């Protein structure tokens, strides 16, 4: 099993305000509210059916300290792998077998805040998973992706995984080649090459919930902020909830336009020269090799 619980500790679930002495609810914090809003939107859009999909957010220590005493650990959870690069870092993360439609009504059961232990082998639960739950089974892919994105963008804080309908549908009718797939998406909507100028990374179908797919995703995340898991879904990353959500939202919109038009005779298109003009006008660094000469 990926996770094993060890020694348990007591935790009140809140930290008292330094001046007023009144309890501050973690569930009412700005970061939990944003987190819940994002999962709710992902569910509403049909990206995360049942318990499909997961989300993680890198918290700053000063954010956590406003609500929790970091010395009070509820229990420790063995990760089953090591991430020493993230030692001491705090993450708000969705739980395994948790339904996004329940996040809004009960965030303390469906999410949790963990701190990565000093040796990178355990998650120290500070809040949440009050029913004895555990972090998402895709935690390897999340933490490894955070490591990869932080290596190229120290401000990256969000990693999301979802199953957007049109991106997934496109997997079955379009060649799973990064250049071809990206170029098709860029051609679907004028804003695409500006929003994701590096294109999209693609992995073939792989067994989910494993270190192997986590490592492969992280490798792609060094070059891309969006990574498609063949016949499964998508990983997206960003500095903020809005950036990560908007990124996947734009890719999904492009995929939807493709699925609506792919079977029809094409009369108009955005030319490669026009995409170059767009990228250069907006000053984005795009994958020039993904366009035709």
């Amino acid at each position: 099993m990926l996770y094993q619980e060890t020694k348990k500790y007591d935790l009140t679930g809140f930290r008292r305000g330094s001046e007023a002495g009144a309890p501050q609810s973690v569930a009412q914090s700005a970061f939990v509210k944003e987190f819940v809003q994002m999962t709710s939107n992902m569910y509403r859009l049909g990206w995360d059916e049942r318990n499909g999909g997961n989300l993680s957010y890198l918290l700053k220590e000063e954010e956590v300290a406003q609500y929790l005493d970091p010395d009070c650990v509820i229990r420790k959870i063995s990760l089953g792998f090591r991430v020493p690069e993230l030692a001491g870092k705090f993450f708000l993360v969705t739980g395994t077998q948790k339904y996004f439609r329940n996040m809004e009504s009960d965030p303390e059961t469906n999410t949790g805040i963990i701190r990565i232990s000093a040796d990178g082998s355990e998650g120290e639960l500070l809040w949440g998973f009050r029913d004895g739950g555990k972090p998402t089974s895709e935690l390897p892919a999340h933490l490894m992706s955070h490591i990869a994105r932080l290596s190229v963008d120290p401000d990256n804080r969000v990693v999301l995984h979802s199953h957007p309908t049109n991106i997934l549908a496109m997997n079955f009718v379009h060649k799973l080649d990064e250049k071809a797939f990206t170029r098709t998406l860029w051609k679907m909507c004028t804003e695409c090459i500006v929003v994701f100028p590096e294109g999209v990374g693609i992995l073939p179908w792989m067994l989910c919930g494993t270190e192997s797919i986590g490592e492969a995703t992280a490798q792609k995340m060094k070059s891309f902020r969006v990574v498609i898991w063949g016949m499964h879904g998508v990983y997206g990353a960003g500095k903020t909830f809005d950036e990560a959500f908007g990124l996947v939202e734009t890719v999904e919109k492009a995929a939807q336009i493709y699925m609506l038009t792919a079977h029809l005779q094409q009369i108009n298109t955005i030319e490669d020269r026009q995409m170059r003009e767009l990228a250069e006008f907006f000053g984005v660094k795009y994958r020039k090799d993904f366009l035709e000469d």
Side-chain angles (χ1 to χ4, degrees), residues 25-45:
S25 169
V26 179
Q28 293 303 310
S29 65
F31 55 81
V32 169
K33 285 184 176 180
E34 279 193 278
F35 191 93
V36 169
Q37 181 182 43
M38 185 160 165
T39 55
S40 297
N41 283 336
M42 291 162 71
Y43 175 76
R44 176 178 56 81
L45 289 169

Side-chain angles (χ1 to χ4, degrees), residues 26-267:
V26 179
Q28 293 303 310
S29 65
F31 55 81
V32 169
K33 285 184 176 180
E34 279 193 278
F35 191 93
V36 169
Q37 181 182 43
M38 185 160 165
T39 55
S40 297
N41 283 336
M42 291 162 71
Y43 175 76
R44 176 178 56 81
L45 289 169
W47 295 2
D48 296 278
E49 71 293 335
R50 198 174 180 270
N51 63 314
N54 23 80
L55 177 65
S56 61
Y57 181 56
L58 174 59
L59 290 162
K60 296 179 180 178
E61 186 172 1
E62 54 267 31
E63 291 176 311
V64 176
Q66 294 181 54
Y67 300 94
L68 297 170
D69 182 349
D71 292 328
C72 292
V73 177
I74 301 174
R75 52 191 160 96
K76 297 185 179 182
I77 304 170
S78 174
L79 300 179
F81 58 97
R82 294 171 64 87
V83 282
E85 301 92 334
L86 298 176
K89 293 191 178 297
F90 301 83
F91 291 91
L92 175 59
V93 61
T94 51
T96 187
Q97 297 296 313
K98 301 301 183 186
Y99 290 50
F100 275 19
R101 66 183 178 85
N102 296 328
M103 293 290 178
E104 189 172 3
S105 62
D106 192 2
E108 192 172 355
T109 296
N110 294 286
T111 64
I113 295 174
I114 62 171
R115 177 179 56 204
I116 305 302
S117 63
D119 66 357
S121 68
E122 293 180 314
E124 299 168 342
L125 182 63
L126 303 178
W127 175 84
F129 303 140
R130 62 180 173 184
D131 62 348
K134 305 167 187 176
T136 170
S137 62
E138 300 292 359
L139 193 60
H142 277 262
L143 294 183
M144 293 177 191
S145 291
H146 276 287
I147 293 170
R149 288 309 306 164
L150 288 169
S151 71
V152 296
D153 180 2
D155 294 323
N156 192 91
R157 300 180 68 184
V158 179
V159 171
L160 70 87
H161 170 55
S162 61
H163 308 152
T165 305
N166 293 285
I167 294 175
L168 186 55
M170 192 172 166
N171 281 204
F172 292 92
V173 297
H174 194 288
K175 184 179 180 181
L176 291 180
D177 171 81
E178 289 173 347
K179 176 180 178 178
F181 207 95
T182 293
R183 187 167 174 268
T184 295
L185 292 172
W186 279 351
K187 283 177 166 289
M188 293 300 105
C189 187
T190 296
E191 68 175 346
C192 287
I193 196 170
V194 178
V195 176
F196 52 101
E198 72 274 33
V200 297
I202 299 177
L203 292 176
W205 186 93
M206 297 178 68
L207 183 62
C208 55
T210 64
E211 286 186 62
S212 295
I213 198 169
E215 291 168 352
T217 304
Q219 189 61 37
K220 291 289 185 183
M221 278 283 182
K222 292 178 181 178
S223 302
F224 305 97
R225 290 172 298 146
V226 173
V227 178
I228 291 171
W229 284 6
M231 284 68 70
H232 182 144
V234 66
Y235 261 73
K239 297 180 180 67
T240 66
F241 290 114
D242 279 347
E243 183 179 89
F245 183 86
L247 179 64
V248 174
E249 186 178 34
T250 304
V251 175
E252 169 66 359
K253 180 64 172 287
Q256 181 182 23
I257 295 170
Y258 174 79
M259 294 305 297
L260 287 170
T261 60
H263 62 292
L264 302 173
Q265 180 183 0
Q266 189 176 74
I267 298 175

Side-chain angles (χ1 to χ4, degrees), residues 278-290:
L278 270 167
E280 290 165 10
F281 179 80
F282 284 97
V284 296
K285 186 178 180 180
Y286 67 103
R287 287 290 299 265
K288 296 180 181 181
D289 58 320
F290 278 8

